[in-house]
Amino acid sequence: MRNKITPNIIRIFFENDFSKKTQALFHKWFRLEDQQSTKDQTLEEIWENSPSEITTQTLDDLKVIQKIISNKSGRNDKHLFRKIISYAAIIATIIVSTVLITNQFGSRHPQELSQLSVSYGEKQKITLNDGTVVIVNAGSTLIFPKEFSGNTRTVFLTGEAIFDVAKNPGKPFIVETAHLSVTALGTKFNIQSYPNSEITKATLIEGSVKVNVNNDTNNSYILKPDNQLSYSHNNHKISISEVDATKLASWEEGYLIFQDVSFDEIANTLERKYNVEINYDSNQMKQQSYYVKFGPEESLNDVMEILCLLTHHSSYEIEGSTVFFYFNK
């Protein structure tokens, strides 16, 4: 029989409010290897048995779980993250239901929602009811109404997608993410908002968009073509930079173009595209940033060879769907 002490500790933690000091101790204990399989299984059971209606506490619990998983390392933890993050889609559905059925006048119009979830190693193109075309990247979920019947056209995104918005000045198109809200009338833009990333990015390709940070309702940011707004989840800082938006969005055609990004971001993107897990020591390359381009015809081996040349003194091994990347001393 499974040891009951470990599951009870986890359940007590999620069912009660504790001080920051206690939370820090819990996170430290949870990351220890002891009873790790039991800890992982208990997390899954908590989400399986959680109520279908969303509350503030539910959102807080999700953030705690995401923080725990993102602070852990190793191939098994990444696998667990992929499994548990799927529950975020369920929560997002409930959130967006409330957003979509309430218009600015306060009346309620129930709408039937659809959900598109794209697996690692894939991407999908979809045309919404209003004619807006969306290309959804690997490891992403898009939630949208089958028909836009309110005063806005609101969708919810977890992950990355390109939106080519059909023009309708009387009904703004809004993309809600965990950290940013992007509003457009008729334009084309890319949003990247993965749960395991430290940054949410909105990149404008054509037209103009208004961006709001969800925890700052007083300020809006208007982007011009080739502007990229980056929001740091850790320090809540916002920066706007000039990029080649068309190139950055060329993942739609199978290209991967990185401009001044961390090795972590490159590795996470490659995991989603090739449906693999990449194990490496992130501390070795923490202060480095990279510029690199991968073509659609390049295999995983091709990409890893290029990374070895880029990072110097490194090597790799591929075992099934797991890549081991070594920074040699």
Side-chain angles (χ1 to χ4, degrees):
M1 180 179 291
R2 198 164 43 128
N3 188 326
K4 293 183 178 181
I5 297 177
T6 295
N8 287 339
I9 290 175
I10 296 174
R11 290 192 176 93
I12 290 172
F13 177 79
F14 283 108
E15 290 171 1
N16 297 274
D17 293 325
F18 293 100
S19 66
K20 290 185 178 180
K21 181 178 180 180
T22 301
Q23 292 180 35
L25 290 173
F26 174 84
H27 296 157
K28 183 177 180 180
W29 167 80
F30 191 89
R31 291 195 296 272
L32 295 176
E33 294 298 324
D34 182 51
Q35 296 287 319
Q36 193 58 64
S37 62
T38 301
K39 294 172 184 176
D40 293 345
Q41 184 176 345
T42 303
L43 279 182
E44 293 187 57
E45 290 175 357
I46 289 174
W47 282 107
E48 290 286 359
N49 297 323
S50 60
S52 59
E53 61 184 73
I54 193 166
T55 66
T56 302
Q57 185 61 46
T58 308
L59 290 175
D60 291 341
D61 290 348
L62 175 64
K63 291 176 182 177
V64 171
I65 286 182
Q66 290 179 343
K67 183 176 180 179
I68 291 169
I69 298 171
S70 62
N71 284 339
K72 293 163 66 182
S73 61
R75 59 186 292 183
N76 292 331
D77 301 323
K78 287 185 178 182
H79 178 68
L80 175 65
F81 180 84
R82 292 189 193 184
K83 291 178 68 177
I84 291 184
I85 206 60
S86 64
Y87 292 105
I90 300 172
I91 291 176
T93 303
I94 303 167
I95 296 172
V96 99
S97 297
T98 304
V99 174
L100 292 171
I101 64 176
T102 305
N103 66 15
Q104 63 187 41
F105 301 108
S107 61
R108 304 179 71 82
H109 301 278
Q111 298 187 35
E112 187 176 357
L113 298 177
S114 297
Q115 176 178 308
L116 173 64
S117 294
V118 182
S119 302
Y120 276 44
E122 300 178 4
K123 57 180 179 286
Q124 291 192 37
K125 182 177 181 179
I126 184 172
T127 301
L128 304 183
N129 172 257
D130 66 333
T132 293
V133 177
V134 188
I135 299 94
V136 185
N137 207 350
S140 305
T141 295
L142 178 70
I143 299 168
F144 56 95
K146 289 189 174 181
E147 293 186 10
F148 293 106
S149 59
N151 292 334
T152 67
R153 296 170 287 166
T154 302
V155 301
F156 192 97
L157 173 70
T158 297
E160 183 173 24
I162 297 171
F163 296 85
D164 193 350
V165 180
K167 292 183 179 180
N168 186 346
K171 187 178 291 189
F173 190 94
I174 302 173
V175 181
E176 298 283 357
T177 74
H179 298 279
L180 298 180
S181 176
V182 179
T183 303
L185 297 178
T187 186
K188 187 174 184 178
F189 56 95
N190 186 94
I191 297 180
Q192 187 181 87
S193 181
Y194 284 103
N196 60 337
S197 175
E198 296 179 354
I199 297 175
T200 295
K201 300 177 182 179
T203 308
L204 184 62
I205 303 170
E206 299 173 3
S208 65
V209 294
K210 180 179 72 173
V211 182
N212 290 93
V213 178
N214 292 346
N215 64 358
D216 180 10
T217 57
N218 296 321
N219 296 304
S220 298
Y221 303 87
I222 305 299
L223 301 188
K224 298 177 181 179
D226 290 329
N227 279 176
Q228 181 179 81
L229 183 146
S230 298
Y231 171 74
S232 171
H233 306 170
N234 295 327
N235 57 28
H236 308 296
K237 288 186 176 180
I238 297 167
S239 63
I240 298 177
S241 57
E242 290 286 332
V243 299
D244 190 327
T246 301
K247 285 186 177 180
L248 290 181
S250 61
W251 58 260
E252 172 188 355
E253 301 168 357
Y255 291 92
L256 292 180
I257 299 176
F258 301 97
Q259 299 179 13
D260 192 23
V261 302
S262 66
F263 188 88
D264 286 347
E265 183 169 342
I266 293 175
N268 288 336
T269 302
L270 295 179
E271 286 184 329
R272 292 189 291 266
K273 178 174 181 178
Y274 293 100
N275 193 20
V276 296
E277 295 176 5
I278 302 177
N279 288 303
Y280 60 96
D281 183 356
S282 61
N283 293 323
Q284 291 276 359
M285 310 301 288
K286 210 168 184 67
Q287 305 304 320
Q288 302 280 350
S289 59
Y290 299 93
Y291 295 79
V292 63
K293 173 182 177 180
F294 300 118
E297 74 286 347
E298 290 179 293
S299 67
L300 178 61
N301 274 298
D302 294 332
V303 168
M304 299 311 299
E305 291 287 351
I306 293 171
L307 281 184
C308 285
L309 293 173
L310 186 68
T311 55
H312 305 296
H313 308 298
S314 57
S315 59
Y316 72 95
E317 293 180 73
I318 300 178
E319 296 182 6
S321 61
T322 303
V323 179
F324 298 93
F325 194 85
Y326 307 104
F327 300 102
N328 301 329
K329 296 181 180 179

